[in-house]
mmCIF file of all heavy atoms in Angstrom:
data_model
loop_
_atom_site.group_PDB
_atom_site.id
_atom_site.type_symbol
_atom_site.label_atom_id
_atom_site.label_comp_id
_atom_site.label_asym_id
_atom_site.label_seq_id
_atom_site.Cartn_x
_atom_site.Cartn_y
_atom_site.Cartn_z
ATOM 1 N N TRP A 17 6.213 -1.263 -6.261
ATOM 2 C CA TRP A 17 5.699 0.095 -6.043
ATOM 3 C C TRP A 17 4.432 0.123 -5.201
ATOM 4 O O TRP A 17 4.121 1.123 -4.589
ATOM 5 C CB TRP A 17 5.381 0.746 -7.384
ATOM 6 C CG TRP A 17 6.567 1.090 -8.198
ATOM 7 C CD1 TRP A 17 7.686 0.315 -8.423
ATOM 8 C CD2 TRP A 17 6.785 2.289 -8.891
ATOM 9 N NE1 TRP A 17 8.556 0.970 -9.225
ATOM 10 C CE2 TRP A 17 8.029 2.196 -9.546
ATOM 11 C CE3 TRP A 17 6.034 3.438 -9.059
ATOM 12 C CZ2 TRP A 17 8.545 3.212 -10.312
ATOM 13 C CZ3 TRP A 17 6.550 4.452 -9.847
ATOM 14 C CH2 TRP A 17 7.789 4.339 -10.458
ATOM 15 N N VAL A 18 3.674 -0.970 -5.214
ATOM 16 C CA VAL A 18 2.399 -1.016 -4.503
ATOM 17 C C VAL A 18 2.191 -2.373 -3.861
ATOM 18 O O VAL A 18 2.792 -3.369 -4.270
ATOM 19 C CB VAL A 18 1.196 -0.705 -5.427
ATOM 20 C CG1 VAL A 18 1.301 0.663 -6.041
ATOM 21 C CG2 VAL A 18 1.034 -1.760 -6.488
ATOM 22 N N TYR A 19 1.311 -2.390 -2.873
ATOM 23 C CA TYR A 19 0.822 -3.641 -2.307
ATOM 24 C C TYR A 19 -0.641 -3.432 -1.962
ATOM 25 O O TYR A 19 -1.105 -2.296 -1.820
ATOM 26 C CB TYR A 19 1.655 -4.088 -1.102
ATOM 27 C CG TYR A 19 1.576 -3.187 0.111
ATOM 28 C CD1 TYR A 19 0.901 -3.598 1.250
ATOM 29 C CD2 TYR A 19 2.197 -1.938 0.127
ATOM 30 C CE1 TYR A 19 0.837 -2.780 2.369
ATOM 31 C CE2 TYR A 19 2.136 -1.117 1.235
ATOM 32 C CZ TYR A 19 1.464 -1.552 2.356
ATOM 33 O OH TYR A 19 1.393 -0.752 3.466
ATOM 34 N N SER A 20 -1.386 -4.532 -1.861
ATOM 35 C CA SER A 20 -2.824 -4.407 -1.696
ATOM 36 C C SER A 20 -3.379 -5.475 -0.748
ATOM 37 O O SER A 20 -3.935 -6.482 -1.186
ATOM 38 C CB SER A 20 -3.511 -4.519 -3.070
ATOM 39 O OG SER A 20 -4.886 -4.267 -2.941
ATOM 40 N N PRO A 21 -3.231 -5.254 0.558
ATOM 41 C CA PRO A 21 -3.826 -6.189 1.505
ATOM 42 C C PRO A 21 -5.348 -6.060 1.476
ATOM 43 O O PRO A 21 -5.879 -4.958 1.370
ATOM 44 C CB PRO A 21 -3.253 -5.759 2.850
ATOM 45 C CG PRO A 21 -2.926 -4.313 2.671
ATOM 46 C CD PRO A 21 -2.562 -4.143 1.227
ATOM 47 N N THR A 22 -6.034 -7.163 1.560
ATOM 48 C CA THR A 22 -7.494 -7.146 1.437
ATOM 49 C C THR A 22 -8.222 -6.934 2.767
ATOM 50 O O THR A 22 -9.388 -6.568 2.761
ATOM 51 C CB THR A 22 -7.983 -8.451 0.791
ATOM 52 O OG1 THR A 22 -7.463 -9.554 1.540
ATOM 53 C CG2 THR A 22 -7.521 -8.549 -0.660
ATOM 54 N N THR A 23 -7.526 -7.160 3.871
ATOM 55 C CA THR A 23 -8.151 -6.961 5.182
ATOM 56 C C THR A 23 -7.147 -6.313 6.137
ATOM 57 O O THR A 23 -5.930 -6.410 5.938
ATOM 58 C CB THR A 23 -8.608 -8.289 5.828
ATOM 59 O OG1 THR A 23 -7.439 -9.084 6.124
ATOM 60 C CG2 THR A 23 -9.558 -9.051 4.914
ATOM 61 N N ALA A 24 -7.663 -5.684 7.179
ATOM 62 C CA ALA A 24 -6.802 -5.104 8.204
ATOM 63 C C ALA A 24 -6.002 -6.195 8.905
ATOM 64 O O ALA A 24 -4.831 -5.992 9.244
ATOM 65 C CB ALA A 24 -7.641 -4.319 9.214
ATOM 66 N N GLU A 25 -6.597 -7.351 9.081
ATOM 67 C CA GLU A 25 -5.901 -8.459 9.736
ATOM 68 C C GLU A 25 -4.705 -8.917 8.912
ATOM 69 O O GLU A 25 -3.635 -9.203 9.450
ATOM 70 C CB GLU A 25 -6.860 -9.635 9.974
ATOM 71 C CG GLU A 25 -7.938 -9.357 10.990
ATOM 72 C CD GLU A 25 -9.123 -8.553 10.431
ATOM 73 O OE1 GLU A 25 -9.223 -8.371 9.193
ATOM 74 O OE2 GLU A 25 -9.940 -8.089 11.239
ATOM 75 N N LEU A 26 -4.871 -8.988 7.607
ATOM 76 C CA LEU A 26 -3.771 -9.376 6.724
ATOM 77 C C LEU A 26 -2.666 -8.326 6.771
ATOM 78 O O LEU A 26 -1.475 -8.656 6.831
ATOM 79 C CB LEU A 26 -4.281 -9.558 5.293
ATOM 80 C CG LEU A 26 -3.257 -10.007 4.267
ATOM 81 C CD1 LEU A 26 -2.665 -11.355 4.640
ATOM 82 C CD2 LEU A 26 -3.906 -10.096 2.900
ATOM 83 N N LEU A 27 -3.032 -7.060 6.785
ATOM 84 C CA LEU A 27 -2.044 -5.987 6.881
ATOM 85 C C LEU A 27 -1.284 -6.073 8.198
ATOM 86 O O LEU A 27 -0.061 -5.925 8.228
ATOM 87 C CB LEU A 27 -2.726 -4.625 6.755
ATOM 88 C CG LEU A 27 -1.802 -3.424 6.861
ATOM 89 C CD1 LEU A 27 -0.764 -3.421 5.751
ATOM 90 C CD2 LEU A 27 -2.610 -2.135 6.840
ATOM 91 N N GLU A 28 -1.986 -6.342 9.286
ATOM 92 C CA GLU A 28 -1.330 -6.483 10.589
ATOM 93 C C GLU A 28 -0.354 -7.652 10.590
ATOM 94 O O GLU A 28 0.757 -7.539 11.119
ATOM 95 C CB GLU A 28 -2.372 -6.647 11.685
ATOM 96 C CG GLU A 28 -3.160 -5.381 11.940
ATOM 97 C CD GLU A 28 -4.413 -5.590 12.781
ATOM 98 O OE1 GLU A 28 -4.718 -6.736 13.165
ATOM 99 O OE2 GLU A 28 -5.095 -4.585 13.055
ATOM 100 N N ALA A 29 -0.742 -8.766 9.968
ATOM 101 C CA ALA A 29 0.145 -9.923 9.878
ATOM 102 C C ALA A 29 1.386 -9.580 9.053
ATOM 103 O O ALA A 29 2.510 -9.932 9.417
ATOM 104 C CB ALA A 29 -0.596 -11.117 9.281
ATOM 105 N N LEU A 30 1.184 -8.884 7.940
ATOM 106 C CA LEU A 30 2.302 -8.459 7.098
ATOM 107 C C LEU A 30 3.242 -7.550 7.883
ATOM 108 O O LEU A 30 4.462 -7.746 7.874
ATOM 109 C CB LEU A 30 1.788 -7.739 5.848
ATOM 110 C CG LEU A 30 2.845 -7.096 4.953
ATOM 111 C CD1 LEU A 30 3.735 -8.169 4.333
ATOM 112 C CD2 LEU A 30 2.193 -6.242 3.885
ATOM 113 N N ALA A 31 2.686 -6.571 8.563
ATOM 114 C CA ALA A 31 3.496 -5.632 9.335
ATOM 115 C C ALA A 31 4.319 -6.350 10.403
ATOM 116 O O ALA A 31 5.453 -5.951 10.691
ATOM 117 C CB ALA A 31 2.615 -4.567 9.971
ATOM 118 N N GLY A 32 3.767 -7.420 10.944
ATOM 119 C CA GLY A 32 4.467 -8.176 11.975
ATOM 120 C C GLY A 32 5.659 -8.954 11.455
ATOM 121 O O GLY A 32 6.508 -9.380 12.235
ATOM 122 N N THR A 33 5.749 -9.122 10.145
ATOM 123 C CA THR A 33 6.859 -9.886 9.570
ATOM 124 C C THR A 33 7.942 -8.999 8.963
ATOM 125 O O THR A 33 8.970 -9.501 8.528
ATOM 126 C CB THR A 33 6.355 -10.839 8.468
ATOM 127 O OG1 THR A 33 5.852 -10.073 7.380
ATOM 128 C CG2 THR A 33 5.295 -11.785 8.987
ATOM 129 N N LEU A 34 7.715 -7.690 8.937
ATOM 130 C CA LEU A 34 8.656 -6.784 8.272
ATOM 131 C C LEU A 34 9.922 -6.555 9.088
ATOM 132 O O LEU A 34 9.862 -6.343 10.293
ATOM 133 C CB LEU A 34 7.988 -5.435 8.019
ATOM 134 C CG LEU A 34 6.803 -5.421 7.066
ATOM 135 C CD1 LEU A 34 6.189 -4.024 7.033
ATOM 136 C CD2 LEU A 34 7.226 -5.854 5.676
ATOM 137 N N THR A 35 11.037 -6.569 8.387
ATOM 138 C CA THR A 35 12.306 -6.192 9.014
ATOM 139 C C THR A 35 12.344 -4.670 9.125
ATOM 140 O O THR A 35 11.560 -3.976 8.459
ATOM 141 C CB THR A 35 13.490 -6.661 8.153
ATOM 142 O OG1 THR A 35 13.459 -5.950 6.906
ATOM 143 C CG2 THR A 35 13.461 -8.164 7.916
ATOM 144 N N PRO A 36 13.247 -4.134 9.925
ATOM 145 C CA PRO A 36 13.351 -2.668 10.002
ATOM 146 C C PRO A 36 13.594 -2.036 8.621
ATOM 147 O O PRO A 36 13.022 -0.988 8.312
ATOM 148 C CB PRO A 36 14.532 -2.434 10.948
ATOM 149 C CG PRO A 36 14.506 -3.638 11.851
ATOM 150 C CD PRO A 36 14.101 -4.777 10.945
ATOM 151 N N ARG A 37 14.417 -2.638 7.782
ATOM 152 C CA ARG A 37 14.676 -2.092 6.438
ATOM 153 C C ARG A 37 13.400 -2.099 5.605
ATOM 154 O O ARG A 37 13.103 -1.135 4.893
ATOM 155 C CB ARG A 37 15.778 -2.890 5.734
ATOM 156 C CG ARG A 37 15.990 -2.485 4.306
ATOM 157 C CD ARG A 37 16.529 -1.053 4.179
ATOM 158 N NE ARG A 37 16.718 -0.736 2.775
ATOM 159 C CZ ARG A 37 16.230 0.319 2.168
ATOM 160 N NH1 ARG A 37 15.531 1.200 2.835
ATOM 161 N NH2 ARG A 37 16.452 0.530 0.896
ATOM 162 N N CYS A 38 12.628 -3.170 5.693
ATOM 163 C CA CYS A 38 11.371 -3.237 4.941
ATOM 164 C C CYS A 38 10.383 -2.203 5.445
ATOM 165 O O CYS A 38 9.643 -1.616 4.661
ATOM 166 C CB CYS A 38 10.778 -4.638 5.006
ATOM 167 S SG CYS A 38 11.702 -5.838 4.030
#
Side-chain angles (χ1 to χ4, degrees):
W17 290 44
V18 300
Y19 66 109
S20 186
T22 54
T23 66
E25 292 80 11
L26 182 60
L27 179 62
E28 290 166 358
L30 173 66
T33 66
L34 296 175
T35 65
R37 174 66 180 127
C38 288

